[in-house]
Amino acid sequence: MLLTDRCNVACGHCWFSCGPDRTETMSQVTAEKVIDQSRGLGARWVSFTGGEPFLEPLLMLGLVRYASARGLYTEAVTNCGWAETPEAASETLRPLSIAGMTALNMSVDDFHQMHVPLDWVRNCFNAAKMLGLKPVFMVATRKGSRITAASLSALMGDPYIQVLGEPRKPNPSALAMETPFTPVGRGGDIINDAVVKPLEAATLRCESALVDIGVTPGGEVLPCCGPLGCREDAVLGNVRDESLEQILARAWRDDRFTRLRDGFQASGSYVSRCHACYRHFGEV
């Protein structure tokens, strides 16, 4: 759930081109409707993101409490731009922990750290651990990245950060995942930052399509949480006009999406499967 498209920074790689000049925020009524309908369809997790969801602290706190009371796990995605001190980090996260929040997903990479000091991310990370939240790091990598998932243990001062795909560490303190910078949205013109590589003709499948969905501040339903959601022709519908069940039932009958799940042929040079999907949606 993209609670707001407003953000305290305007990172160069942002798919949705969020920033301080954006103004749309999801209403509590829409958010609660999405939570209830998602739960009815079998959802187990709700992720609150943006923009920067911590710019809407009362809305997010209420929604964490609402979703937790209905048996859902909850996560917030943040750039930690509000965690100037250890005290500020603890004071901000403590009410969310009490309300039942499960995980805190922190964005840390070369793009974000042009705006947010690493010390603030450390403050956020340490507070999350202290309060019993599950810390997750998302790292967008580009050519010659200084910050990578592997570098986080040294940068955060914690040797127990588990990098996804690496040998399992005993009692990991956090999970770190890398995603490639994709030239979409605000970053659409900076292809030189992308690690583009040839993709041999292959059948590509996406099991996340129509399952790991997104909802924008205005209620538009997106087919996934990847760059495909930035294409206007990939929007599934709007929860202000129809139920989530109606929207998804129609999407599951749409060949454009079922082919993504069943597999499509792609060849050329791309950053990732998501990049190939974004470029060729509607053609597959």
Side-chain angles (χ1 to χ4, degrees):
M1 297 178 66
L2 287 75
L3 292 187
T4 181
D5 57 13
R6 187 163 60 100
C7 190
N8 53 310
V9 298
C11 293
H13 71 313
C14 183
W15 292 335
F16 294 104
S17 301
C18 298
D21 59 335
R22 303 292 292 272
T23 59
E24 192 166 23
T25 295
M26 186 179 293
S27 71
Q28 184 171 339
V29 170
T30 297
E32 290 180 355
K33 178 194 294 186
V34 171
I35 289 171
D36 288 337
Q37 293 183 6
S38 298
R39 179 175 177 270
L41 292 172
R44 298 180 60 216
W45 277 87
V46 179
S47 179
F48 301 110
T49 183
E52 175 52 60
F54 280 81
L55 294 177
E56 298 293 338
L58 295 181
L59 175 62
M60 185 165 64
L61 177 61
L63 294 176
V64 167
R65 189 178 290 121
Y66 188 87
S68 298
R70 285 152 181 77
L72 295 173
Y73 299 112
T74 57
E75 169 196 64
V77 182
T78 182
N79 61 30
C80 305
W82 42 270
E84 297 96 332
T85 65
E87 293 76 21
S90 296
E91 289 172 6
T92 299
L93 292 178
R94 184 172 288 108
L96 293 166
S97 175
I98 294 171
M101 180 176 283
T102 311
L104 186 72
N105 190 323
M106 293 161 283
S107 299
V108 53
D109 46 54
D110 289 1
F111 299 101
H112 286 90
Q113 271 41 80
M114 292 180 66
H115 310 279
V116 179
L118 271 172
D119 282 345
W120 297 9
V121 181
R122 292 190 197 99
N123 293 338
C124 197
F125 175 43
N126 291 330
K129 289 190 293 184
M130 179 186 68
L131 293 167
L133 300 174
K134 298 181 184 299
V136 178
F137 292 102
M138 289 295 294
V139 187
T141 55
R142 59 179 177 177
K143 289 181 181 177
S145 284
R146 179 178 65 90
I147 298 175
T148 63
S151 72
L152 287 181
S153 285
L155 293 173
M156 294 294 111
D158 186 323
Y160 299 105
I161 296 174
Q162 175 69 54
V163 176
L164 185 67
E166 294 295 318
R168 175 78 176 178
K169 293 187 176 184
N171 302 314
S173 59
L175 179 65
M177 296 178 282
E178 287 188 0
T179 57
F181 160 70
T182 304
V184 172
R186 185 179 287 128
D189 295 328
I190 49 177
I191 191 69
N192 288 338
D193 270 350
V195 182
V196 178
K197 53 191 176 183
L199 181 68
E200 295 181 2
T203 300
L204 302 182
R205 292 182 176 86
C206 180
E207 296 181 354
S208 295
L210 306 184
V211 176
D212 189 9
I213 63 170
V215 181
T216 71
E220 291 183 328
V221 181
L222 310 180
C224 65
C225 293
L228 180 60
C230 298
R231 288 187 58 138
E232 291 185 6
D233 58 349
V235 173
L236 306 181
N238 195 304
V239 293
R240 294 176 176 176
D241 305 322
E242 305 173 272
S243 72
L244 197 54
E245 183 175 14
Q246 290 172 315
I247 292 169
L248 289 174
R250 183 175 61 249
W252 277 92
R253 297 192 298 268
D254 189 328
D255 285 348
R256 297 176 303 163
F257 298 107
T258 53
R259 287 172 185 167
L260 293 181
R261 296 188 56 81
D262 293 342
F264 66 98
Q265 295 293 318
S267 61
S269 295
Y270 306 99
V271 172
S272 63
R273 293 186 305 167
C274 288
H275 187 208
C277 175
Y278 175 85
R279 291 279 299 275
H280 293 292
F281 178 72
E283 301 174 10
V284 298

